[in-house]
Each structure stands twice: as structure tokens, then as C-alpha cells.
Amino acid sequence: MLVNQFLILGALLFCMGVYGVLTRKNAVMVLLSIELILNSVNINLLAFDRLNGGSDGNVFALYIIAVAAAEVGVGLAMVMLIYRNRKSISLDDLSEMKG
Amino acid sequence: MVLASDIQVAQNVGFGIIALMMVLAGVGVIASRNVVHAALSLVIVMAGAAAQYVLLAAEFVAVTQVLVYIGAVMVLFLFGVMLTRAKIGKDADLNNGNAAVAAPVALLLFGVMVYVLGKGFTDQELPTSDVRPQYTATISDLIFKPYLLPFWALSFVLLAAVIGAIVLARKD
């Protein structure tokens, strides 16, 4: 197996996630796209770990999984708070900071 | 002489099938007009990622991926979809008008990454001779010796996230 086949799969998923973050209006969909990005990073870390024959990449991947879980928890709590205050989770409606 | 074990036909065929599945499901995540379908497509992407971790000889991370992502995070997402009363059926109002900008940005990013990876790693093979499973004991030795400080920091992050999520989402 080539290293590049894993790295390019990770790059493709990363770019899909970037596209999703930029185009989605629904806040939950943006969080889903961020999960795509985090998964692609984990694939890269484990591919490099296998290439170098260590175990450190596994530890980094586990830490990323834990941080991603925390991020989803806080992110969805914020989305629920926004929904409760405005009855909408469209990111285009949150424009108070526009000059 | 190239032996059949050097080409690793079975692993490569497995990789191809799983990667194709992941990419198709990823397109479903970013293009679906239905929030629940997008969330369920993400389950396929995560399960495929877990399978790729097994191919990369990282069993413990693969099991953690299934438990944490597919088990916990997806349930959280589906609860989020339900509690924000996003429509269960089709929803025409999911995208903003930025696709004309986002598509070139994503394509350019992908092009640059493929170019750089192609130049940097050309046809470098993953080592086949000294493959051993990543023993959980090795990983735990790493976590609790050299990476102990980040582990503590991570524990505080999780604690703060749990308390923050409760404070934010609680009805007063």
C-alpha cells in the first residue's frame, strides 16, 4: 500500500469538509462538515504513524477524538441556545456584528 | 523480484472499496438536502474511517472511533437535529449562496494538496516487513508517560465542555 493513497483520501475528505463549512447555512450541517475535517486529519496521523513505525500518532488521534467529542457537545449546546432565543438556526440570520 | 505479498492485493482492493464508499457518503454529507440523511451519511464516513484505521494496524483507535463517534457523537447530532426542529423531510433552505466561491476554494485546495503530496511521497510504500499491531499496552504507556501533561489538559477541556454544555443548554 502506498502512503499517498491514504494521504490523498484524507485530503479529499478535508476539502469536502471545507466546501461544506463554506456553503451550508444550517448550523448543525456546519458541525457535520467539521466532523468530516477532523476525521480526515485522523486518517493522516495514523498513515504517518504506520509509515514511521511508532505509536505516537495513535495517541494524537485519540486526543483528537476526545477534543472532537467536547467540541460537538459545546457546539450543539450553543446551537440549541441560539434556536431557543431566535427560533432559527440559520447562520445568515446572525448578522449583528455586520457593520 | 516482486512477490505477491509485496503488492498486497487484498489490502489494496479493500482500501479501494472502503475509500469509494467514504467519498460517496462524504458527497452525501455536503450535498444532501435532508439533515437526517446527511447525518446518516456521516455515519458511513466514520465507519469507513474506522475500517481504514484497521488497515493501518491501529485497532485501538478504530474501536474508539466506533464507540465515541458512531456511538456517542452521532446520537448527539440526531438529538440536535430533533431539538432544533429542523425539518425531517427535504429542506430547500440549507445552503447559502456561496457555492460559486466555495467550490473553487475547495478544488484549488485539493489540487495544491495532491500536487504537494505527489511530489513529496511519489510512490513511497508503507513498510510491510515489520508490521505489528499497535498493542493497547504500548499506547497506554505513551499516554501515561510522555503524553501525561496533554492528557491532564484534555481532562480539563472535557470537564469544562461538560459543564459548559449543561450551563448553555439548561432551561432557566
Side-chain angles (χ1 to χ4, degrees):
Chain A
M1 287 185 290
L2 302 175
V3 196
N4 255 347
Q5 62 194 52
F6 289 98
L7 299 185
I8 287 175
L9 175 68
L12 185 58
L13 287 177
F14 185 90
C15 295
M16 282 177 167
V18 169
Y19 177 84
V21 169
L22 289 176
T23 52
R24 291 300 198 182
K25 193 155 78 172
N26 184 321
V28 176
M29 302 297 280
V30 172
L31 284 174
L32 284 177
S33 303
I34 291 175
E35 290 305 309
L36 267 185
I37 293 179
L38 289 167
N39 266 289
S40 73
V41 172
N42 267 350
I43 292 177
N44 268 18
L45 276 175
L46 291 172
F48 283 123
D49 191 39
R50 170 80 196 280
L51 178 66
N52 294 325
S55 291
D56 301 45
N58 288 32
V59 178
F60 293 154
L62 287 171
Y63 285 5
I64 287 181
I65 289 176
V67 171
E71 171 254 324
V72 169
V74 175
L76 281 174
M78 284 167 62
V79 169
M80 278 179 59
L81 193 67
I82 292 170
Y83 176 77
R84 203 177 293 145
N85 286 335
R86 305 169 161 264
K87 300 290 164 220
S88 158
I89 52 171
S90 166
L91 295 175
D92 287 0
D93 294 346
L94 307 174
S95 56
E96 277 84 8
M97 291 178 79
K98 216 183 232 173
Chain B
M1 193 177 76
V2 180
L3 296 171
S5 61
D6 293 335
I7 306 177
Q8 293 186 304
V9 178
Q11 284 94 327
N12 277 316
V13 170
F15 172 87
I17 293 171
I18 299 165
L20 185 69
M21 204 179 73
M22 286 172 76
V23 170
L24 290 179
V27 170
V29 174
I30 60 171
S32 173
R33 292 219 161 279
N34 183 325
V35 185
V36 179
H37 286 181
L40 294 178
S41 299
L42 191 66
V43 173
I44 299 177
V45 177
M46 286 166 172
Q52 303 286 19
Y53 300 164
V54 173
L55 271 181
L56 288 167
E59 282 88 356
F60 185 68
V61 182
V63 172
T64 313
Q65 166 100 355
V66 171
L67 284 178
V68 174
Y69 269 119
I70 302 177
V73 170
M74 282 323 297
V75 174
L76 210 56
F77 265 119
L78 292 174
F79 265 110
V81 169
M82 277 192 279
L83 289 174
T84 54
R85 293 199 188 81
K87 275 195 215 149
I88 298 295
K90 276 189 187 171
D91 192 345
D93 201 27
L94 276 179
N95 293 330
N96 55 26
N98 288 345
V101 184
V105 167
L107 283 177
L108 189 69
L109 193 60
F110 183 59
V112 170
M113 286 205 267
V114 168
Y115 175 73
V116 172
L117 290 174
K119 281 206 105 154
F121 294 97
T122 46
D123 51 356
Q124 200 174 342
E125 293 270 349
L126 288 172
T128 51
S129 54
D130 59 338
V131 183
R132 73 224 179 317
Q134 301 279 354
Y135 294 114
T136 309
T138 322
I139 297 171
S140 67
D141 281 348
L142 277 175
I143 288 179
F144 290 112
K145 275 176 199 151
Y147 295 110
L148 185 60
L149 196 62
F151 181 75
W152 279 345
L154 192 60
S155 314
F156 274 108
V157 168
L158 276 177
L159 181 67
V162 168
I163 296 174
I166 293 173
V167 169
L168 281 177
R170 184 182 58 175
K171 280 200 178 93
D172 281 321

